[in-house]
Amino acid sequence: MLSRHFLRSKVLQEVYSCQIEPKDAASAVHEFDYHIGRLNELGILQVALLPRMAEVAARVMEEGKKKYFATDEERNPNLQLTRNEFLRRMADNFDLKKYFAQWAGCWDVHEDLIKEAFMDFRQQQIYSDYLAVENPTFEQDKEIAIVLFRYMMNREAITAALAERSLLWEDDYSQIAQYNYMMLKTLKADNFDEAMQWPLMYDSRNDAEVEAMDFARILLRQTLAMREESDALIKRFLQGWEFERVASMDILLINMAVAELTSCPSIPEKVTVDEYIELSKEFSSERSKLFINGILDKMVSELRSQGKINKTGRGLATM
Protein backbone atom coordinates (compact mmCIF):
# COMPACT_ATOMS: atom_id res chain seq x y z
CA MET A 1 0.00 0.00 0.00
CA LEU A 2 1.25 3.48 -0.87
CA SER A 3 1.60 5.69 2.19
CA ARG A 4 0.38 9.27 2.15
CA HIS A 5 3.96 10.39 2.64
CA PHE A 6 4.94 8.58 -0.54
CA LEU A 7 1.92 10.01 -2.39
CA ARG A 8 2.90 13.51 -1.30
CA SER A 9 6.35 12.92 -2.79
CA LYS A 10 4.77 11.83 -6.09
CA VAL A 11 2.52 14.91 -6.10
CA LEU A 12 5.64 17.02 -5.53
CA GLN A 13 7.27 15.44 -8.58
CA GLU A 14 4.20 16.18 -10.68
CA VAL A 15 4.00 19.80 -9.46
CA TYR A 16 7.68 20.19 -10.28
CA SER A 17 7.13 18.79 -13.78
CA CYS A 18 4.30 21.31 -14.28
CA GLN A 19 6.79 24.06 -13.52
CA ILE A 20 9.08 22.81 -16.30
CA GLU A 21 6.34 21.91 -18.76
CA PRO A 22 3.11 23.80 -17.87
CA LYS A 23 -0.12 21.81 -18.10
CA ASP A 24 -3.66 22.22 -16.83
CA ALA A 25 -4.86 20.48 -13.67
CA ALA A 26 -6.79 17.76 -15.52
CA SER A 27 -3.71 16.81 -17.54
CA ALA A 28 -1.53 16.86 -14.43
CA VAL A 29 -3.93 14.55 -12.55
CA HIS A 30 -4.11 12.21 -15.55
CA GLU A 31 -0.32 11.99 -15.69
CA PHE A 32 -0.14 11.50 -11.92
CA ASP A 33 -2.63 8.61 -12.12
CA TYR A 34 -0.61 7.05 -14.95
CA HIS A 35 2.65 7.12 -12.96
CA ILE A 36 0.99 5.70 -9.84
CA GLY A 37 -0.58 2.93 -11.92
CA ARG A 38 2.80 2.01 -13.34
CA LEU A 39 4.12 1.43 -9.82
CA ASN A 40 1.96 -1.71 -9.86
CA GLU A 41 3.90 -2.80 -12.93
CA LEU A 42 7.21 -2.18 -11.18
CA GLY A 43 6.09 -4.14 -8.13
CA ILE A 44 4.91 -7.10 -10.19
CA LEU A 45 8.09 -7.15 -12.28
CA GLN A 46 10.15 -7.31 -9.09
CA VAL A 47 8.27 -10.27 -7.60
CA ALA A 48 8.03 -12.00 -10.99
CA LEU A 49 11.76 -12.61 -10.73
CA LEU A 50 11.19 -15.27 -8.07
CA PRO A 51 9.18 -17.86 -10.04
CA ARG A 52 11.18 -16.92 -13.13
CA MET A 53 14.38 -17.74 -11.24
CA ALA A 54 13.00 -21.21 -10.45
CA GLU A 55 12.31 -21.75 -14.17
CA VAL A 56 15.79 -20.60 -15.15
CA ALA A 57 17.36 -22.76 -12.44
CA ALA A 58 15.55 -25.81 -13.84
CA ARG A 59 16.89 -25.07 -17.35
CA VAL A 60 20.44 -24.53 -16.05
CA MET A 61 20.34 -27.86 -14.27
CA GLU A 62 18.94 -29.64 -17.31
CA GLU A 63 21.66 -28.14 -19.50
CA GLY A 64 24.27 -29.31 -16.96
CA LYS A 65 23.11 -32.90 -17.33
CA LYS A 66 23.78 -32.76 -21.06
CA LYS A 67 27.40 -31.63 -20.77
CA TYR A 68 29.81 -34.10 -22.32
CA PHE A 69 32.11 -33.90 -19.31
CA ALA A 70 29.42 -33.29 -16.68
CA THR A 71 30.40 -33.58 -13.04
CA ASP A 72 28.54 -35.87 -10.66
CA GLU A 73 26.80 -32.83 -9.24
CA GLU A 74 25.71 -31.75 -12.72
CA ARG A 75 24.46 -35.23 -13.61
CA ASN A 76 22.46 -35.44 -10.38
CA PRO A 77 21.53 -31.85 -9.49
CA ASN A 78 19.69 -30.94 -6.31
CA LEU A 79 16.28 -29.76 -7.56
CA GLN A 80 15.08 -28.34 -4.25
CA LEU A 81 14.77 -24.75 -5.47
CA THR A 82 12.77 -25.82 -8.53
CA ARG A 83 10.36 -27.64 -6.20
CA ASN A 84 10.12 -24.78 -3.71
CA GLU A 85 6.53 -24.71 -2.37
CA PHE A 86 6.49 -20.94 -1.82
CA LEU A 87 7.61 -20.26 -5.41
CA ARG A 88 5.12 -22.82 -6.73
CA ARG A 89 2.27 -21.04 -4.96
CA MET A 90 3.40 -17.75 -6.49
CA ALA A 91 3.37 -19.30 -9.95
CA ASP A 92 -0.11 -20.80 -9.36
CA ASN A 93 -1.78 -17.70 -7.86
CA PHE A 94 -4.61 -16.54 -10.15
CA ASP A 95 -3.95 -12.82 -9.63
CA LEU A 96 -0.21 -13.17 -10.23
CA LYS A 97 -0.78 -15.25 -13.37
CA LYS A 98 -2.89 -12.40 -14.76
CA TYR A 99 -0.32 -9.75 -13.88
CA PHE A 100 2.60 -11.85 -15.12
CA ALA A 101 0.84 -12.29 -18.46
CA GLN A 102 0.42 -8.51 -18.67
CA TRP A 103 3.90 -7.40 -17.65
CA ALA A 104 6.41 -10.13 -16.87
CA GLY A 105 7.25 -10.84 -20.51
CA CYS A 106 9.88 -8.12 -20.26
CA TRP A 107 12.11 -10.63 -18.46
CA ASP A 108 12.20 -12.81 -21.60
CA VAL A 109 14.82 -10.52 -23.11
CA HIS A 110 16.78 -10.40 -19.84
CA GLU A 111 16.96 -14.10 -19.09
CA ASP A 112 20.75 -13.88 -19.19
CA LEU A 113 20.62 -11.53 -16.17
CA ILE A 114 18.46 -13.99 -14.25
CA LYS A 115 20.72 -16.89 -15.18
CA GLU A 116 23.79 -14.94 -14.07
CA ALA A 117 22.06 -14.09 -10.77
CA PHE A 118 21.24 -17.76 -10.16
CA MET A 119 24.79 -18.89 -10.99
CA ASP A 120 26.11 -16.39 -8.44
CA PHE A 121 23.46 -17.12 -5.82
CA ARG A 122 24.09 -20.83 -5.79
CA GLN A 123 27.63 -20.12 -4.61
CA GLN A 124 26.23 -18.53 -1.45
CA GLN A 125 26.46 -20.47 1.81
CA ILE A 126 22.81 -19.84 2.60
CA TYR A 127 21.81 -21.62 -0.61
CA SER A 128 24.03 -24.60 0.24
CA ASP A 129 22.46 -24.74 3.69
CA TYR A 130 19.00 -24.74 2.12
CA LEU A 131 19.89 -27.61 -0.21
CA ALA A 132 21.12 -29.59 2.76
CA VAL A 133 17.67 -29.54 4.40
CA GLU A 134 15.63 -32.67 3.75
CA ASN A 135 11.97 -32.01 2.94
CA PRO A 136 11.96 -28.27 3.79
CA THR A 137 8.83 -26.80 5.36
CA PHE A 138 6.79 -24.01 3.77
CA GLU A 139 8.49 -21.52 6.08
CA GLN A 140 11.96 -22.73 5.06
CA ASP A 141 10.99 -22.48 1.39
CA LYS A 142 9.66 -18.98 2.05
CA GLU A 143 12.82 -17.96 3.86
CA ILE A 144 15.13 -18.87 0.97
CA ALA A 145 12.73 -17.21 -1.51
CA ILE A 146 12.83 -13.96 0.45
CA VAL A 147 16.62 -14.10 0.73
CA LEU A 148 16.75 -14.66 -3.02
CA PHE A 149 14.41 -11.72 -3.62
CA ARG A 150 16.60 -9.38 -1.58
CA TYR A 151 19.68 -10.71 -3.38
CA MET A 152 18.21 -9.95 -6.80
CA MET A 153 16.90 -6.52 -5.80
CA ASN A 154 20.46 -5.52 -4.89
CA ARG A 155 21.94 -6.55 -8.23
CA GLU A 156 22.80 -3.50 -10.32
CA ALA A 157 22.02 -5.25 -13.61
CA ILE A 158 18.47 -6.02 -12.44
CA THR A 159 17.95 -2.46 -11.22
CA ALA A 160 19.23 -1.05 -14.52
CA ALA A 161 16.99 -3.36 -16.59
CA LEU A 162 13.91 -2.09 -14.76
CA ALA A 163 15.01 1.55 -14.82
CA GLU A 164 15.10 1.35 -18.62
CA ARG A 165 11.30 0.98 -18.62
CA SER A 166 10.67 4.27 -16.79
CA LEU A 167 12.91 7.16 -15.76
CA LEU A 168 10.90 7.58 -12.55
CA TRP A 169 11.43 3.98 -11.46
CA GLU A 170 15.02 4.65 -10.47
CA ASP A 171 13.70 6.81 -7.62
CA ASP A 172 10.89 4.39 -6.73
CA TYR A 173 12.80 1.12 -7.03
CA SER A 174 14.06 0.78 -3.45
CA GLN A 175 10.78 1.75 -1.79
CA ILE A 176 8.74 -0.65 -3.93
CA ALA A 177 11.30 -3.41 -3.31
CA GLN A 178 11.05 -2.79 0.44
CA TYR A 179 7.26 -2.98 0.24
CA ASN A 180 7.46 -6.27 -1.65
CA TYR A 181 10.02 -7.65 0.80
CA MET A 182 7.80 -6.88 3.80
CA MET A 183 4.70 -8.15 2.01
CA LEU A 184 6.33 -11.48 1.09
CA LYS A 185 7.25 -11.99 4.74
CA THR A 186 3.57 -11.75 5.75
CA LEU A 187 2.43 -14.62 3.52
CA LYS A 188 1.53 -17.75 5.46
CA ALA A 189 0.91 -21.36 4.48
CA ASP A 190 -2.74 -21.11 5.51
CA ASN A 191 -3.58 -17.92 3.58
CA PHE A 192 -1.38 -18.09 0.48
CA ASP A 193 -3.18 -20.05 -2.21
CA GLU A 194 -4.36 -19.75 -5.81
CA ALA A 195 -7.35 -17.56 -4.92
CA MET A 196 -5.57 -15.06 -2.66
CA GLN A 197 -5.78 -11.48 -3.91
CA TRP A 198 -2.24 -10.39 -4.61
CA PRO A 199 -1.42 -7.07 -2.84
CA LEU A 200 -0.60 -4.28 -5.29
CA MET A 201 1.23 -1.00 -4.74
CA TYR A 202 -2.04 0.81 -5.46
CA ASP A 203 -5.09 -1.40 -5.20
CA SER A 204 -8.42 0.14 -6.24
CA ARG A 205 -10.15 -2.79 -4.49
CA ASN A 206 -9.07 -1.29 -1.16
CA ASP A 207 -11.22 1.59 0.15
CA ALA A 208 -8.40 3.06 2.24
CA GLU A 209 -6.11 3.21 -0.79
CA VAL A 210 -8.83 4.81 -2.92
CA GLU A 211 -9.26 7.43 -0.19
CA ALA A 212 -5.51 8.06 -0.10
CA MET A 213 -5.44 8.53 -3.88
CA ASP A 214 -8.39 10.93 -3.71
CA PHE A 215 -6.41 12.93 -1.14
CA ALA A 216 -3.40 13.04 -3.50
CA ARG A 217 -5.51 14.22 -6.44
CA ILE A 218 -7.09 16.98 -4.35
CA LEU A 219 -3.65 18.02 -3.15
CA LEU A 220 -2.33 18.19 -6.70
CA ARG A 221 -5.29 20.17 -8.06
CA GLN A 222 -5.33 22.63 -5.17
CA THR A 223 -1.56 23.16 -5.23
CA LEU A 224 -1.75 24.16 -8.88
CA ALA A 225 -4.90 26.26 -8.38
CA MET A 226 -3.49 28.14 -5.36
CA ARG A 227 0.02 28.67 -6.69
CA GLU A 228 -0.18 32.46 -7.13
CA GLU A 229 -2.01 32.95 -3.82
CA SER A 230 0.56 30.83 -1.99
CA ASP A 231 3.49 32.63 -3.59
CA ALA A 232 2.05 35.99 -2.53
CA LEU A 233 1.69 34.72 1.03
CA ILE A 234 5.27 33.46 1.09
CA LYS A 235 6.55 36.87 -0.06
CA ARG A 236 4.77 38.53 2.85
CA PHE A 237 6.72 36.49 5.39
CA LEU A 238 10.16 36.52 3.85
CA GLN A 239 12.63 38.40 5.99
CA GLY A 240 16.02 39.30 4.56
CA TRP A 241 15.40 37.16 1.47
CA GLU A 242 14.25 37.95 -2.04
CA PHE A 243 11.59 35.58 -3.33
CA GLU A 244 13.65 34.83 -6.45
CA ARG A 245 16.57 33.65 -4.28
CA VAL A 246 14.52 31.03 -2.42
CA ALA A 247 15.08 27.49 -3.64
CA SER A 248 12.30 26.54 -6.05
CA MET A 249 11.79 23.20 -4.29
CA ASP A 250 11.20 24.99 -0.98
CA ILE A 251 8.57 27.18 -2.67
CA LEU A 252 6.81 24.13 -4.11
CA LEU A 253 6.82 22.36 -0.74
CA ILE A 254 5.27 25.40 0.94
CA ASN A 255 2.72 25.67 -1.89
CA MET A 256 1.72 22.07 -1.26
CA ALA A 257 1.54 22.60 2.50
CA VAL A 258 -0.77 25.60 2.05
CA ALA A 259 -3.01 23.58 -0.28
CA GLU A 260 -3.18 20.73 2.23
CA LEU A 261 -3.80 23.01 5.21
CA THR A 262 -6.72 24.72 3.51
CA SER A 263 -8.22 21.84 1.51
CA CYS A 264 -7.89 18.75 3.72
CA PRO A 265 -9.96 19.38 6.88
CA SER A 266 -9.38 15.95 8.43
CA ILE A 267 -5.56 16.23 8.49
CA PRO A 268 -4.15 17.96 11.61
CA GLU A 269 -2.06 21.07 11.04
CA LYS A 270 0.91 19.56 12.88
CA VAL A 271 0.83 16.46 10.68
CA THR A 272 0.89 18.61 7.54
CA VAL A 273 3.76 20.81 8.74
CA ASP A 274 5.80 17.81 9.89
CA GLU A 275 5.24 16.02 6.58
CA TYR A 276 6.63 18.89 4.50
CA ILE A 277 9.60 19.33 6.78
CA GLU A 278 10.35 15.63 6.23
CA LEU A 279 9.93 16.00 2.48
CA SER A 280 12.36 18.94 2.51
CA LYS A 281 15.00 16.61 3.99
CA GLU A 282 14.51 14.25 1.05
CA PHE A 283 14.17 16.71 -1.80
CA SER A 284 15.82 19.98 -0.80
CA SER A 285 18.84 21.34 1.08
CA GLU A 286 20.02 20.86 4.65
CA ARG A 287 18.80 24.32 5.68
CA SER A 288 15.39 23.97 4.05
CA LYS A 289 13.69 22.32 7.03
CA LEU A 290 14.36 25.38 9.22
CA PHE A 291 13.23 27.81 6.52
CA ILE A 292 10.05 25.87 5.73
CA ASN A 293 9.20 25.38 9.40
CA GLY A 294 9.59 29.09 10.10
CA ILE A 295 7.50 30.22 7.12
CA LEU A 296 4.76 27.65 7.72
CA ASP A 297 4.51 28.59 11.39
CA LYS A 298 3.67 32.16 10.38
CA MET A 299 1.42 31.11 7.53
CA VAL A 300 -0.66 28.76 9.69
CA SER A 301 -1.43 31.61 12.11
CA GLU A 302 -2.34 33.90 9.22
CA LEU A 303 -4.54 31.35 7.43
CA ARG A 304 -6.26 30.39 10.67
CA SER A 305 -7.07 34.03 11.47
CA GLN A 306 -8.50 34.44 7.97
CA GLY A 307 -10.75 31.44 8.49
CA LYS A 308 -9.07 29.50 5.68
CA ILE A 309 -8.10 26.58 7.91
CA ASN A 310 -11.12 24.70 9.19
CA LYS A 311 -10.32 21.36 10.75
CA THR A 312 -12.87 18.67 11.58
CA GLY A 313 -12.59 15.31 13.31
CA ARG A 314 -8.96 14.34 13.69
CA GLY A 315 -8.00 17.70 12.22
CA LEU A 316 -9.01 19.43 15.47
CA ALA A 317 -5.74 18.18 16.99
CA THR A 318 -3.78 21.22 15.83
CA MET A 319 -0.24 22.35 16.55
Side-chain angles (χ1 to χ4, degrees):
M1 178 178 178
L2 300 176
S3 68
R4 292 203 176 197
H5 179 82
F6 182 79
L7 287 171
R8 286 181 179 94
S9 73
K10 304 312 289 182
V11 170
L12 176 62
Q13 290 177 356
E14 185 57 38
V15 171
Y16 180 77
S17 76
C18 289
Q19 184 171 260
I20 297 173
E21 184 180 343
K23 56 178 81 77
D24 59 36
S27 298
V29 170
H30 177 76
E31 189 167 320
F32 173 78
D33 284 352
Y34 171 75
H35 289 309
I36 293 298
R38 288 208 68 193
L39 292 178
N40 285 336
E41 179 184 350
L42 172 58
I44 291 298
L45 287 175
Q46 288 181 350
V47 297
L49 282 165
L50 283 173
R52 183 60 64 92
M53 175 70 83
E55 295 173 9
V56 170
R59 284 195 286 274
V60 168
M61 293 175 192
E62 192 60 33
E63 290 168 2
K65 291 179 184 179
K66 298 175 183 177
K67 286 183 179 180
Y68 191 77
F69 293 109
T71 65
D72 288 341
E73 183 180 354
E74 289 171 329
R75 290 192 189 95
N76 301 285
N78 188 321
L79 301 175
Q80 196 140 281
L81 183 66
T82 67
R83 297 168 178 165
N84 183 290
E85 176 68 11
F86 186 80
L87 299 184
R88 185 193 64 76
R89 293 196 193 192
M90 288 187 72
D92 290 344
N93 180 267
F94 297 144
D95 257 6
L96 275 182
K97 281 183 179 179
K98 176 180 67 178
Y99 299 133
F100 288 171
Q102 184 176 357
W103 291 314
C106 88
W107 290 123
D108 293 344
V109 297
H110 294 297
E111 187 161 312
D112 57 326
L113 299 181
I114 302 173
K115 181 178 179 180
E116 182 181 351
F118 171 67
M119 301 294 281
D120 290 345
F121 184 72
R122 69 178 183 175
Q123 305 302 317
Q124 305 293 313
Q125 184 62 46
I126 193 167
Y127 181 64
S128 299
D129 293 342
Y130 169 69
L131 295 185
V133 177
E134 279 193 49
N135 301 316
T137 64
F138 175 86
E139 286 300 320
Q140 288 171 318
D141 279 345
K142 182 176 91 168
E143 181 182 0
I144 195 66
I146 290 174
V147 169
L148 179 57
F149 177 77
R150 185 170 56 189
Y151 181 80
M152 288 191 291
M153 289 302 97
N154 287 319
R155 289 182 71 86
E156 290 184 8
I158 296 289
T159 305
L162 286 173
E164 288 175 0
R165 294 179 67 84
S166 172
L167 294 176
L168 294 178
W169 283 3
E170 189 171 356
D171 294 330
D172 301 326
Y173 183 90
S174 294
Q175 179 147 346
I176 301 304
Q178 180 65 19
Y179 171 89
N180 276 325
Y181 176 76
M182 299 304 296
M183 179 271 296
L184 290 170
K185 291 178 70 173
T186 67
L187 300 179
K188 305 295 182 184
D190 60 355
N191 68 5
F192 184 20
D193 57 24
E194 294 93 339
M196 187 197 82
Q197 285 191 344
W198 189 260
L200 297 170
M201 299 304 108
Y202 168 60
D203 197 335
S204 59
R205 300 168 297 191
N206 184 304
D207 291 342
E209 295 191 34
V210 171
E211 182 182 350
M213 274 293 287
D214 288 342
F215 153 76
R217 294 186 186 105
I218 291 170
L219 179 60
L220 176 55
R221 291 192 191 97
Q222 289 301 108
T223 300
L224 295 176
M226 298 178 65
R227 179 70 188 274
E228 291 185 7
E229 179 182 346
S230 297
D231 284 353
L233 198 55
I234 293 169
K235 291 174 183 177
R236 283 187 53 196
F237 293 112
L238 285 178
Q239 294 180 350
W241 283 89
E242 296 178 8
F243 183 80
E244 291 72 20
R245 292 182 59 197
V246 178
S248 61
M249 189 58 69
D250 292 355
I251 297 296
L252 296 184
L253 286 166
I254 296 172
N255 289 161
M256 286 179 61
V258 170
E260 185 171 319
L261 286 164
T262 57
S263 306
C264 301
S266 67
I267 300 177
E269 294 169 12
K270 185 177 187 338
V271 170
T272 295
V273 173
D274 288 348
E275 279 290 333
Y276 290 96
I277 290 172
E278 287 302 310
L279 285 170
S280 74
K281 297 175 185 177
E282 298 174 37
F283 293 96
S284 198
S285 66
E286 178 67 25
R287 298 175 58 189
S288 294
K289 61 183 179 183
L290 298 176
F291 171 74
I292 290 173
N293 186 47
I295 293 291
L296 285 180
D297 184 55
K298 297 172 184 176
M299 292 176 81
V300 165
S301 297
E302 176 78 6
L303 292 168
R304 195 189 293 130
S305 68
Q306 293 176 355
K308 293 182 178 180
I309 295 179
N310 296 293
K311 297 297 181 180
T312 60
R314 291 187 303 108
L316 293 175
T318 57
M319 295 174 60

